[in-house]
Amino acid sequence: MNKRVAVLPGDGIGAEITIEAVELLETVGKQFGAEFEFNYGDIGGNAVDVHGTPLPDATVELCRASDAVLLGAVGGPKWDNEPRERRPETGLLGIRKALQVFANLRPIKVFPELSAASPLKPEVVDGVDFVIVRELTGGLYFGEPKERRNGPDGPEVVDTLRYSEKEIERILRVGFELAQKRGGRLTSVDKANVLESSRMWREIAQRLSSEYADVELSHLLVDNCAMQIVKSPGQFDVVVTENLFGDILSDESAVVTGSLGMLPSASLGANGVGLYEPVHGTAPDIAGKGLANPMATFLSTAMMLRHSFGMDEAADAVEQAVSDVITEGMRTADLAGPGESYLSTREISEQIKNNVKRREPIGSKNTVR
Ligand code: NAD
Ligand code: IPM
Ligand code: MN
């Protein structure tokens, strides 16, 4: 049966990298005997321009009728002064909420040959491999009221940080379960010295830890965590945290890997359709120049193959194909050192696709030798 993938390119470099990711998936399909069906939807700024809303109903319906969603990125200076309901980012938050993908997995894995691409010392970044589990459908991003209004001192503004116990428990369980499958260590990040929501978060983490005796739970305040990520990122296995903290800590963690263009993500719900997108945004400074690094999006498709389609071998093949171009010394502009040559988005994508094509599908029954 066809695997239906909704493709939402979005704005800026979003379109440039999703085109390549679709071609990569087509290559994977041929190589591993899978049929992907791609259907395109509008989201973000271009959807505002065409439909007057960043998230048309048709896009939500398309995603709901699909097995997985591949998203580029949304936003850009053109729409920065739009009211909230017409902001591109509102479309992104809307699709995350509509699909109920509350668990956002953001792996931070350093490719050995890229340790020189990080501004941190090689001995600090070598071997780093952790996952940030970011709560994605609650907290400050979604709490109501969220408004400008008149207060006793004139105009004032309010954003609301709201979490139900249920929302906190379910994301913490994702963290514990992932830690069980990995190195058995979970760092719960909060601001329990100030925020009531964080105090409840910490209590629930503590209570759940008795159910996961094989996981070593520790707590870290978010400001300290931000410092530890650049000081000694090798200490982390699984980090679980609320929406806004996870957003900030994941961009910071990108520095460890050498570039934001390397960080993939998977957003998952209890069941249902998964949403796969790079951690980075639309990069208006390099959009349209062929300079975007497509690897974060490629690694996101690997997560799709693994989490939505159970195609572990194909996922490994994509990750290996990315790893191989790096080992062979190929770089995109964001990863190249001063004076070092680099490939365009299209060129490096071709190289990665060729690596997948060359690969013998491991254990594939229909391989003709
Ligand atoms: P950004 O992530 O777009 O860019 C930050 C920096 O990283 C820029 O210098 C950019 O050139 C670089 N960069 C990002 N991705 C890259 C890639 N693949 N290859 C090479 N370099 C890359 O963040 P920003 O500039 O703060 O935001 C720009 C717009 O993107 C904003 O409108 C923001 O809201 C939006 N945004 C969207 C998403 C998303 O859709 N998931 C995520 C973050 C930001
Ligand atoms: C991300 C982005 C989004 C977020 C924005 C664009 C709404 O920064 O996916 O990390 O904050 O979640
Ligand atoms: Mn972000």
Side-chain angles (χ1 to χ4, degrees):
M1 212 177 74
N2 282 3
K3 301 181 190 319
R4 290 159 306 173
V5 180
V7 184
L8 315 182
D11 310 312
I13 64 167
E16 300 167 44
I17 53 181
T18 41
I19 284 180
E20 303 298 343
V22 166
E23 283 188 17
L24 177 74
L25 279 172
E26 279 169 345
T27 305
V28 166
K30 287 194 194 107
Q31 197 74 359
F32 289 85
E35 286 276 336
F36 297 106
E37 176 189 314
F38 300 101
N39 296 293
Y40 291 79
D42 293 332
I43 193 165
N46 65 69
V48 171
D49 291 348
V50 178
H51 309 279
T53 166
L55 185 61
D57 291 343
T59 298
V60 179
E61 282 156 29
L62 168 68
C63 294
R64 287 202 172 122
S66 302
D67 301 308
V69 180
L70 175 67
L71 193 144
V74 300
K78 182 176 177 195
W79 305 279
D80 274 349
N81 297 319
E82 293 282 355
R84 175 154 57 113
E85 65 281 6
R86 284 171 56 92
R87 278 200 68 108
E89 293 83 354
T90 303
L92 178 59
L93 302 186
I95 195 65
R96 289 172 177 171
K97 194 76 171 177
L99 300 177
Q100 278 298 308
V101 285
F102 66 89
N104 181 221
L105 311 186
R106 299 187 156 188
I108 321 292
K109 194 168 177 179
V110 172
F111 289 90
E113 295 81 4
L114 285 187
S115 55
S118 172
L120 302 175
K121 295 190 185 105
E123 62 265 33
V124 172
V125 304
D126 272 341
V128 167
D129 178 0
F130 66 98
V131 181
I132 295 180
V133 177
R134 171 189 177 194
E135 202 292 324
L136 201 62
T137 53
L140 270 173
Y141 280 64
F142 294 93
E144 295 288 349
K146 175 187 272 301
E147 63 189 7
R148 288 165 193 240
R149 60 190 183 195
N150 284 318
D153 301 323
E156 63 176 26
V157 64
V158 57
D159 283 297
T160 302
L161 205 180
R162 186 202 144 274
Y163 269 116
S164 69
E165 204 174 296
K166 198 174 134 216
E167 287 172 308
I168 297 174
E169 181 170 330
R170 69 182 179 178
I171 191 69
L172 283 167
R173 284 193 187 278
V174 172
F176 276 109
E177 280 158 28
L178 187 59
Q180 280 181 321
K181 291 189 212 130
R182 290 179 43 102
R185 285 178 297 115
L186 179 65
T187 308
S188 173
V189 174
D190 61 35
K191 187 73 187 172
N193 51 347
V194 175
L195 300 177
E196 206 52 48
S197 54
S198 284
R199 281 193 279 274
M200 186 194 246
W201 182 283
R202 202 175 269 221
E203 281 162 26
I204 297 172
Q206 210 52 48
R207 167 165 62 76
L208 292 180
S209 69
S210 60
E211 289 180 42
Y212 301 92
D214 47 347
V215 175
E216 185 193 319
L217 169 71
S218 58
H219 305 279
L220 204 55
L221 295 173
V222 64
D223 43 357
N224 185 8
C225 180
M227 188 272 288
Q228 298 288 342
I229 283 173
V230 284
K231 182 170 171 257
S232 54
Q235 70 184 284
F236 297 111
D237 178 18
V238 179
V239 170
V240 62
T241 192
E242 67 89 50
N243 203 342
L244 183 63
F245 296 163
D247 177 45
I248 298 168
L249 294 179
S250 53
D251 266 38
E252 187 196 7
S253 303
V255 171
V256 177
T257 67
S259 170
L260 193 47
M262 296 304 296
L263 285 205
S265 90
S267 306
L268 309 170
N271 33 46
V273 54
L275 170 67
Y276 301 86
E277 51 171 319
V279 167
H280 64 73
T282 56
D285 51 340
I286 58 165
K289 298 181 180 163
L291 293 176
N293 181 347
M295 291 187 248
T297 313
F298 288 180
L299 296 170
S300 303
T301 66
M303 295 184 87
M304 175 191 291
L305 292 166
R306 192 168 280 123
H307 292 283
S308 282
F309 301 138
M311 295 174 65
D312 289 11
E313 288 174 9
D316 290 347
V318 169
E319 286 166 355
Q320 192 62 50
V322 170
S323 172
D324 286 349
V325 297
I326 293 167
T327 309
E328 288 156 23
M330 295 175 218
R331 299 285 180 271
T332 41
D334 53 321
L335 297 171
E340 217 180 333
S341 64
Y342 54 82
L343 300 183
S344 68
T345 308
R346 183 93 204 129
E347 287 164 342
I348 201 141
S349 300
E350 284 302 316
Q351 296 290 339
I352 294 169
K353 274 173 249 172
N354 286 339
N355 282 350
V356 173
K357 275 185 207 150
R358 272 199 290 273
R359 193 178 160 107
E360 193 85 46
I362 321 157
S364 164
K365 301 220 170 38
N366 48 15
T367 310
V368 180
R369 284 176 189 271

